[in-house]
Amino acid sequence: MAGPMRIRAQVNGDEVNVRALMAHPMETGFRKDSSGNPIPAHYITEVIASVNGKTVLTAEWSGAISTNPYFEFDVKAKKGDKITLKWIDNKGESKEETVEVK
Amino acid sequence: MKKTVTAVALLCALSSTAIAPTFAADDDEAARLKAIEEYRKQIADGNPSDLLAMEGEELWRTPYGPKNQSLEQCDLGLGPGVVKGAAAKLPRYFPDTGKVEDLESRLMTCMERLQGVERQKVIDSPWRKGEKLRMDKIVAYIVTESNGEKIDVDMSHPKMKEMYELGKRMFFYRTGPFDFSCATCHGKDGQRIRLQELPNLTKHEGAAAGWGSWPAYRVSNSQFWTMQMRLNDCFRQQRTAEPIYGSDATIALSVYMAANGNGGVMLTPGIKR
């Protein structure tokens, strides 16, 4: 089950600074557990950001990103806009969260 | 560690405001500490403890255990259900149990009384799994609600004074194959282990910095550590017998640190490299 995601969006001139934290184990697939068995890879492969439904950013991720990733970007947007972030991982799980710019 | 550096590098690439990390190669101690400080600032904004705190708030409100009750009536010392600022005043003496309790032991009392979850179940749970994972999340929520508050531990009760003296004795008690005490590393100014400067917990500034920044998220291993976990690991590093979760020994040490840090600021949950 997907953990929480926290998005903060702050107006900065004509841009909005978006900071997001995503709960995810981000297992590389190269680690072993205490009994020596490999831990299956489990990481986010794609992050999609959209403003009012229009995609503004897609990112391709891999197992090289840390556990519970932090993601920050600036985008042209204004107060009242709805910013949506979605991630999809290699197991096909996904999580989507929307915030309104205040 | 490599994973973390990659993530921070990615963050810098994406953010226009981020400063490039300075991996100072020179031996200058001050420059090195400054570089670490800068790295800490970079990671502080995205403290993953937030994620645990979000889940913890949910757990606080959700009925659980044999009695199927929430923790909303739990009294952390400021009255039933009051969470804001409660962690900054812990440990404290609780007349209803007749004991000095820290955050985790008080939560165990609440879990037992309100929810019917046996204390021993939490104590026996492995670290960061099952009942202890639930505890970690609830702790993250409660300490977040004390962020920025003044450390204000009430030392007026004789039991608190008793615990302080016990904690002090433990702090200076040398044990284990290395004949170490807490004071060996934490009793002098300017000590460090590898690149980590160690606070002098016998002084106000050091105790305020040390006590006020735990519980914390450790970036290097992606783990959230409560104070109980932190203390347990100190014993482990001492190579001595590990204390029982929530035992008087751990609470006494907490009273010693918190009282020395009284008046400092709670920066909880902290973030550590």
Side-chain angles (χ1 to χ4, degrees), chain B residues 49 52-57 59-60 71 76 83 87 90 102-108 111 122 131-146 214-216 224-229 245 266 268-269:
Chain B
S49 302
L52 277 107
M54 282 168 86
E55 289 184 83
E57 187 172 3
L59 292 174
W60 176 264
L71 286 168
L76 296 170
V83 174
L90 287 168
D102 68 347
L103 180 52
E104 285 96 315
S105 55
R106 184 61 187 174
L107 281 169
M108 283 197 282
M111 287 169 181
V122 185
E131 291 298 333
K132 283 227 178 74
L133 181 62
R134 284 178 56 83
M135 176 66 91
D136 291 351
K137 289 173 178 173
I138 294 166
V139 165
Y141 161 58
I142 289 163
V143 298
T144 301
E145 294 293 310
S146 280
W214 287 94
F224 178 80
W225 282 19
T226 66
M227 200 52 172
Q228 283 289 333
M229 171 79 208
Y245 189 84
M266 295 284 282
T268 50

Side-chain angles (χ1 to χ4, degrees), chain A residues 2-72:
Chain A
M5 167 152 49
R6 161 166 277 190
I7 310 173
R8 287 168 296 173
Q10 217 168 33
V11 182
N12 184 13
D14 60 345
E15 287 183 338
V16 168
N17 177 246
V18 182
R19 291 170 296 166
L21 259 174
M22 310 162 202
H24 202 281
M26 298 299 286
E27 274 298 343
T28 59
F30 298 117
R31 298 204 308 159
K32 285 173 181 163
D33 64 16
S34 46
S35 37
N37 302 312
I39 305 170
H42 187 201
Y43 53 80
I44 295 172
T45 52
E46 200 174 354
V47 181
I48 304 150
S50 55
V51 178
N52 296 328
K54 187 184 163 232
T55 302
V56 292
L57 180 154
T58 56
E60 284 176 12
W61 280 11
S62 70
I65 310 278
S66 80
T67 308
N68 299 330
Y70 173 74
F71 189 51
E72 176 177 344

